[in-house]
Amino acid sequence: MVTYKQDMPPEGGFNPYEWAARKPKRLFGGYTQFALFAGFTSIAWIFYFRWRNTKKLNELEMRESRVAIEPFLLAERDRAILKHYRKNRDEENELMKNVEGWKTGTLWGEPVFYNPRNRYVKPALEELLAHMSYREQEDFKYDKRKRF
Amino acid sequence: MPYTNEDYLPSYEELTVPELEISSAAFRTAAHHLGKYCDNTCKEFILCRTEENDPRKCLNEGKEVTRCAYEFLGKIKKSCYAEFTQYMDCIDHSGLSMEFKNCRKTQAVFDACVKENLGQDRPELGYFTKVRLHKTERPKAVPDPHILPERLPEPPKFENKTTDPMKGPRWF
């Protein structure tokens, strides 16, 4: 005797099985998509070029401000470096006064540079730093730092 | 040092003038007006520096430049101190590189003050970076003559000594 009930398909059978790939429905057609792309890009270009122009003008203004103050900084720096040359020369005179045959600015009488036209010579960095302490050298070479 | 005791180096008295003891923010704030106010002096100094290529010969021009800036900043301090300070505060807190673009309002106030008291407009954009001609009384810098060592004697003439290769020994 059968005591259970057999499950059977619903009345009228199962729904049809979807086996084909379903394509998503397109929001816009091809022409609309091209038009949207062109429009969006044009507007973006307008904004980009306007931004770039503003940026260039701002940079020009900054550059101009640097150009404008250059002579003032240069004049001050020239005086400072010439003072430093003089200080170093005095220091060398003082240091080597007891050494016989030593001539300041030369190596036992031989000049450092071959300079027949009497042009301005820039000393090497080591010569500028020669009579300084290590800390002063650091301050001279780099921006003077705050020490704690 | 490559400078001997005979070489010319200016003394401390010549080199000591009242320097501009102002911060970079003040320089940035004043830059355009300052550059325009001292335009001719700056051109003269830079011309000297580029022509001579020697800071020792351009000391007077350099002092003139610093004096001009001193004069301008003094005038600003006398007449536009509050406006200048307000603009400088803005510039000082305007980004890492002290940009002008965040400070247009205070800049307008400062410009109006300078226009009123010094009668000077802010130079138009591109004024300092374009090529500007400068008329000067300054004589052209002539470097010292380059004295070369004496010329070596001419080499002997070899035309008379060479033999015609076609007339040489031919038995090789």
Side-chain angles (χ1 to χ4, degrees):
Chain A
M1 198 59 199
V2 182
T3 56
Y4 57 87
K5 192 178 171 204
Q6 175 74 42
D7 273 352
M8 296 303 282
E11 299 246 338
F14 287 108
N15 289 332
Y17 181 70
E18 287 182 30
W19 55 270
R22 275 186 295 181
K23 280 186 183 173
K25 199 194 164 199
R26 278 186 177 181
L27 276 176
F28 307 109
Y31 289 114
T32 327
Q33 278 185 39
F34 271 120
L36 282 175
F37 168 74
F40 190 81
T41 313
S42 322
I43 293 167
W45 272 7
I46 290 168
F47 275 94
Y48 168 66
F49 284 116
R50 273 172 58 187
W51 168 82
R52 199 175 70 167
N53 199 22
T54 324
K55 189 164 171 282
K56 272 186 180 175
L57 290 179
N58 279 332
E59 279 171 2
L60 175 67
E61 198 179 8
M62 292 295 284
R63 202 159 63 242
E64 271 197 312
S65 76
R66 291 187 186 109
V67 168
I69 62 169
E70 197 201 334
F72 307 99
L73 304 180
L74 192 62
E76 189 174 338
R77 201 184 65 182
D78 279 351
R79 283 189 293 261
I81 201 78
L82 286 174
K83 257 183 210 172
H84 190 77
Y85 291 170
R86 198 170 177 92
K87 197 173 129 197
N88 264 20
R89 194 173 72 178
D90 293 349
E91 186 76 29
E92 190 176 332
N93 277 334
E94 181 66 25
L95 185 70
M96 303 299 274
K97 66 183 174 190
N98 295 328
V99 182
E100 197 136 323
W102 182 266
K103 202 166 160 258
T104 308
T106 57
L107 182 67
W108 305 108
E110 187 188 343
V112 180
F113 289 102
Y114 173 70
N115 192 12
R117 302 180 79 179
N118 199 18
R119 288 189 288 189
Y120 171 69
V121 290
K122 273 186 188 168
L125 182 64
E126 288 76 17
E127 304 214 55
L128 297 181
L129 303 176
H131 306 292
M132 285 178 167
S133 71
Y134 184 72
R135 178 167 279 196
E136 282 170 345
Q137 288 183 6
E138 285 238 315
D139 284 347
F140 191 89
K141 281 195 281 189
Y142 314 108
D143 280 351
K144 192 170 180 179
R145 276 178 294 169
K146 205 182 257 182
R147 291 201 173 80
F148 299 103
Chain B
M1 290 299 285
Y3 289 100
T4 57
N5 286 329
E6 289 81 50
D7 286 339
Y8 169 66
L9 281 181
S11 62
Y12 289 120
E13 291 79 47
E14 284 175 75
L15 292 170
T16 309
V17 290
E19 301 287 357
L20 304 171
E21 290 175 357
I22 56 176
S23 63
S24 52
F27 252 134
R28 172 64 42 89
T29 311
H32 289 86
H33 283 300
L34 183 59
K36 193 167 182 193
Y37 187 83
C38 303
D39 203 7
N40 234 22
T41 332
C42 287
K43 279 178 185 167
E44 194 75 23
F45 174 60
I46 292 291
L47 174 75
C48 173
R49 273 307 309 265
T50 12
E51 263 196 346
E52 302 273 3
N53 207 7
D54 187 349
R56 291 173 297 180
K57 291 178 185 166
C58 303
L59 279 179
N60 290 331
E61 283 86 348
K63 281 179 196 168
E64 188 63 24
V65 161
T66 308
R67 191 202 55 75
C68 178
Y70 221 84
E71 184 189 313
F72 175 77
L73 290 170
K75 279 184 182 175
I76 289 288
K77 192 171 182 179
K78 201 182 283 176
S79 48
C80 297
Y81 185 66
E83 287 86 349
F84 183 82
T85 317
Q86 188 192 7
Y87 186 28
M88 191 176 77
D89 278 347
C90 180
I91 289 280
D92 206 3
H93 297 100
S94 165
L96 292 174
S97 50
M98 299 184 190
E99 287 141 6
F100 291 105
K101 63 182 178 187
N102 306 321
C103 301
R104 297 296 180 208
K105 281 181 194 167
T106 40
Q107 179 183 317
V109 175
F110 177 58
D111 282 352
C113 181
V114 172
K115 173 78 182 163
E116 191 184 324
N117 290 296
L118 299 182
Q120 179 179 300
D121 282 318
R122 193 181 187 78
E124 73 275 6
L125 209 57
Y127 178 74
F128 290 105
T129 41
K130 76 185 174 195
V131 177
R132 290 170 296 156
L133 293 180
H134 177 49
K135 200 167 190 180
T136 178
E137 301 291 321
R138 192 187 155 69
K140 196 172 181 207
V142 184
D144 288 356
H146 192 180
I147 300 159
L148 291 166
E150 264 189 45
R151 189 173 170 160
L152 289 174
E154 289 284 328
K157 287 186 176 173
F158 291 107
E159 288 100 56
N160 305 334
K161 289 183 182 175
T162 46
T163 47
D164 189 357
M166 296 310 285
K167 287 177 184 171
R170 287 195 155 192
W171 52 77
F172 291 113

